Amino acid sequence: MEQKRIYDVCNNVPKGMIVVVKDWDLVIKKRTIEETVNKINFLNFDPVFSQYHEHPRLLHAVSQLIGENISLINSMVINKPPGSKWHPPHQNFKNQMFFTISDVDVVAPVSKRLSLTPMEPGDTVIFHSLTVHGSWANTSNLFRKAITAVYSSQECEYIDVKGSLQETFEIEINNELKRTHGSDLQHLVINLSL
Ligand SMILES: O=C(O)CCC(=O)C(=O)O
């Protein structure tokens, strides 16, 4: 069902708050829509994708880690066509922003990395958003599609980051959300019930 929705969204059916992110190098090369769409972001309110990120089994697993009062911060499809490059190790911050590590071979040498592959189609991996993570290149001739969802506890509070290092990130994120959705992060978060 999610697969059909991915095709529909790529083909411009009404898509609500969803934002489609394309690889413009591939658009210019006139590749197929399935190859050019890189990310489908802000799935939070989508009735089809919600069946994934609100799935009772998934929420049950998440509740074991952060308690039963769960908020969905963001949900997104990542599409890696055959030949896609690796995504270097990074940490996620709220929403779609991530910050890469410049001296990655020192901080996260390959010998110290934990490989979660091979994951089978349909597998789920759960980790803290500050865990340094990335993905290898897609060297197969198949598409690699994944849905990600970022959850937090409803007990988490927004803190005032003015004057701290986080302030730049807050401004960056809220400017982007105002541009795409006319809203700030707090109004896009959904409180879920188990
Ligand atoms: O694009 C990828 O393969 C990985 C993306 C990722 O790790 C992320 O969005 O946090």
Side-chain angles (χ1 to χ4, degrees), residues 107-123:
V107 178
V110 175
S111 60
K112 297 235 167 115
R113 287 185 208 161
L114 173 70
S115 180
L116 295 173
T117 53
M119 286 176 69
E120 301 295 332
D123 278 356

Side-chain angles (χ1 to χ4, degrees), residues 76 78 80 87 90 92 133 135:
M76 139 175 108
I78 299 176
K80 298 197 85 149
H87 192 113
H90 61 279
N92 293 350
H133 65 281
S135 69

Side-chain angles (χ1 to χ4, degrees), residues 5 8-9 12-16 46:
R5 184 73 178 136
D8 287 350
V9 166
N12 288 326
V13 296
K15 50 184 187 287
D46 187 81

Side-chain angles (χ1 to χ4, degrees), residues 80-83 138-144:
K80 298 197 85 149
N138 182 2
T139 53
S140 77
N141 54 9
L142 301 172
F143 283 75
R144 188 197 293 162

Side-chain angles (χ1 to χ4, degrees), residues 3-22 24 27 32-34 36-37 39-40 46 49:
Q3 186 80 319
K4 180 176 181 313
R5 184 73 178 136
I6 291 174
Y7 287 112
D8 287 350
V9 166
C10 293
N11 287 301
N12 288 326
V13 296
K15 50 184 187 287
M17 297 183 107
I18 287 178
V19 174
V20 175
V21 182
K22 293 185 181 171
W24 285 99
V27 174
T32 64
I33 191 85
E34 195 181 7
T36 53
V37 170
K39 291 199 164 98
I40 305 177
D46 187 81
F49 290 116

